[in-house]
C-alpha cells in the first residue's frame, strides 16, 4: 500500500460495486429508509426498525417551516440577487446556527451537563436543573431547545416525543429535558421543549455525538431550502424587498395523507 494513503471507513467504491459501511448500496436502496441510511452513514451501524422510524420522523419534522425561518429568508434573498442554486442553498445552510437549527447541538450539550452534574452531586434532577438555569440566566445565556416564536404546543415535538417513547428512547438527556420543562413551568414561564430540544435529547440518548447533530438538521432542511429557492426564482421578480411578515400561503388546503 502507498505509504501516503489515508483511511476512510464510510464508503468503498470499486468498479461496478458500492458499499456503504460495508453494506451493498443496492441492498440499502431496496431495503432501508433514508432515515436509516442517515443513521448508518453517521454511526456506522444500521438502526433498529423503531429507531429508523424515529430517524425518518426527525428528518420529516425538520423538512420546512415556511418562509420566516432565517435559513429560508437567507436562501430567498440570495436567489433574489440572481444567485445560483448552490449559492442560495448554501446561504440558507449558513444561517443555521445557535438560535436556528443549531439549538439541537447546544441543547444536547446543556442537557448532558445537567445530567452529569446530577449524577456527580447525587442531587435531585429538578434541583440541579433549576441551579443550572439560574446560572445561565445570570450569565445572559439561554437554555437551547426551549421556547418558540410561533408555537406554544408544537405538534412536531409531541409526535417526536411519542415516537421516541415507542422506540424506548428514555435516557439521561430526555430525563434532563423533562426536568428543565418542569422548572420553567414551576417558575411560571411558558418555555416548553421545542422541536430542536426534542431532537437534541433524542439524538443524544441514541448516542449521536453533538458535533454531528446540527448536520442532521441541515440534511433535513436542504429539500425545503431547494423548494424555497426554486419558488422564489420561478414566481418572484429579482431584487424584491422580502418582507416575511407580509406573505400569504397559496398552496393546497389541509388534506390527509391517508387519502393520497
Ligand atoms: C426561540 C426563541 C428565540 C423564541 O423567543 P421569543 O418567544 O421571541 O422570546 P424572547 O426572546 O422575547 O424572550 C422572552 C423571555 O423569555 C426568556 N427566554 C426565552 N427563551 C428562553 C430559553 N430558551 N431559555 C431561557 N430563557 C428564555 C428570555 O430570556 C426573555 O426573558 P426576559 O423577559 O426576562 O428578558 C427563544 O425561546 C430562544 O432563544 N430559545 C432557545 C433557542 C432555541 O431553542 N431555538 C430553536 C427554536 S425552534
Amino acid at each position: 500500500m502507498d505509504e501516503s494513503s489515508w483511511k476512510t471507513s464510510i464508503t468503498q467504491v470499486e468498479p461496478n460495486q458500492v458499499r456503504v459501511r460495508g453494506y451493498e448500496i443496492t441492498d440499502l436502496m431496496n431495503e432501508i429508509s433514508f432515515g436509516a441510511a442517515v443513521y448508518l452513514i453517521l454511526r456506522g451501524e444500521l438502526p433498529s426498525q423503531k429507531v429508523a422510524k424515529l430517524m425518518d420522523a426527525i428528518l420529516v419534522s425538520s423538512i420546512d417551516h415556511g418562509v420566516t425561518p432565517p435559513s429560508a429568508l437567507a436562501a430567498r434573498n440570495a436567489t433574489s440577487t440572481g444567485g445560483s442554486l448552490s449559492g442560495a442553498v448554501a446561504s440558507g445552510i449558513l444561517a443555521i446556527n445557535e438560535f436556528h437549527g443549531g439549538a439541537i447541538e447546544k441543547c444536547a450539550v446543556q442537557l448532558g451537563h445537567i445530567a452529569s452534574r446530577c449524577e456527580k452531586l447525587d442531587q435531585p434532577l429538578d434541583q440541579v436543573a433549576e441551579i443550572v438555569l439560574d446560572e445561565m440566566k445570570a450569565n445572559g445565556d439561554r437554555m437551547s431547545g426551549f421556547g418558540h416564536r410561533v408555537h406554544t404546543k408544537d405538534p412536531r415535538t409531541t409526535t417526536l416525543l411519542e415516537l421516541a417513547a415507542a422506540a424506548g428512547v428514555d435516557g439521561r438527556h430526555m430525563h434532563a429535558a423533562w426536568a428543565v420543562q418542569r422548572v420553567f413551568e414551576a417558575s411560571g414561564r411558558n418555555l416548553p421543549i421545542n422541536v430542536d430540544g426534542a431532537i437534541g435529547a433524542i439524538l443524544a440518548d441514541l448516542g449521536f455525538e453533538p458535533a454531528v447533530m446540527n448536520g442532521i438538521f441541515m440534511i433535513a432542511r436542504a429539500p425545503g431550502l431547494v423548494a424555497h429557492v426554486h419558488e422564489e426564482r420561478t414566481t418572484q421578480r429579482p431584487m424584491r424587498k422580502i418582507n416575511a411578515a407580509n406573505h400569504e400561503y397559496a398552496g393546497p388546503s389541509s388534506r390527509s395523507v391517508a387519502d393520497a
Side-chain angles (χ1 to χ4, degrees), residues 118-138:
C118 172
E119 288 147 10
K120 204 166 146 196
L121 300 177
D122 200 20
Q123 281 175 347
L125 190 54
D126 287 34
Q127 197 177 317
V128 174
E130 190 174 357
I131 294 168
V132 171
L133 290 175
D134 284 347
E135 286 173 1
M136 277 181 197
K137 194 168 182 184

Side-chain angles (χ1 to χ4, degrees), residues 7-22:
K7 292 185 173 53
T8 174
S9 313
I10 304 171
T11 302
Q12 187 179 22
V13 180
E14 287 168 353
N16 305 328
Q17 202 150 45
V18 179
R19 290 189 206 93
V20 176
R21 301 287 189 190

Side-chain angles (χ1 to χ4, degrees), residues 248-252:
E248 202 179 305
Y249 174 71

